[in-house]
Amino acid sequence: MAERTLKQWFNEYGESHQNKTNKLIHWICVPSIFFSIVCLLYLVPVAGNLNLASISMMFATFFHIRLSSKLAAGLLFFYLLCYVGAYLLSNLSVPLWQIAIIIFVVAWIGQYWGHKIEGKKPSFIKDIQFLLIGPAWLLGFVYKKLGISLQADA
């Protein structure tokens, strides 16, 4: 099976994200879910100063570089913001895992509600890799608004 291009990923992801309300929900919930996962992975030490979040972000970045180096750069910036957010929240009196679980659950409820409105199943049910495409798909709209083309890179 040939590897999908960025355009193919976006087109396939977009098929189940046509409804305006579902799209709005995704603008809130996709980054929230991603952030909550980074927070949870941040809590899992691996070796030295490394944790599972930093290693996972490295693999996600490699996945996105294969699709578009420009998009990967923007997503890496987003990953780093999430990582810094996890670090900052880890210093609060409320345990980070509790904050992350609440965000995760509420955001997934939102996602499923959006897909109920849409009338289509979430894309990741078909292919788990779509969990990495969701943030990229949203950033693709930001890039388009800013006039940044991904075509030469995709």
Side-chain angles (χ1 to χ4, degrees):
M1 183 173 171
E3 190 172 316
R4 286 179 260 196
T5 66
L6 182 63
K7 184 177 181 175
Q8 289 169 325
W9 279 112
F10 281 6
N11 286 343
E12 193 171 343
Y13 189 84
E15 289 173 10
S16 61
H17 301 88
Q18 298 294 311
N19 180 280
K20 192 174 183 175
T21 302
N22 188 30
K23 284 183 182 180
L24 176 62
I25 290 168
H26 275 64
W27 276 99
I28 298 164
C29 293
V30 167
S32 298
I33 290 167
F34 191 88
F35 175 67
S36 69
I37 291 170
V38 170
C39 288
L40 291 169
L41 295 176
Y42 180 87
L43 295 169
V44 181
V46 175
N49 290 330
L50 287 179
N51 55 42
L52 203 49
S54 54
I55 292 170
S56 298
M57 286 189 287
M58 180 180 65
F59 283 109
T61 300
F62 289 139
F63 173 83
H64 289 116
I65 285 173
R66 287 188 356 248
L67 299 174
S68 167
S69 59
K70 291 177 191 177
L71 194 63
L75 288 166
L76 181 58
F77 179 72
F78 175 63
Y79 301 160
L80 293 173
L81 288 176
C82 290
Y83 193 87
V84 169
Y87 168 77
L88 293 173
L89 288 177
S90 72
N91 294 311
L92 297 178
S93 59
V94 178
L96 179 59
W97 69 268
Q98 288 179 356
I99 297 168
I101 293 292
I102 290 168
I103 293 169
F104 185 85
V105 169
V106 169
W108 272 111
I109 289 169
Q111 287 286 86
Y112 278 101
W113 178 55
H115 279 285
K116 184 168 179 60
I117 292 168
E118 180 85 39
K120 296 183 182 171
K121 292 180 183 176
S123 302
F124 80 89
I125 291 174
K126 181 178 173 185
D127 186 337
I128 195 80
Q129 293 178 92
F130 278 110
L131 291 174
L132 291 174
I133 295 301
W137 185 72
L138 293 174
L139 187 58
F141 285 107
V142 173
Y143 275 30
K144 187 175 182 178
K145 192 87 163 165
L146 295 173
I148 300 171
S149 172
L150 298 173
Q151 292 305 325
D153 203 5

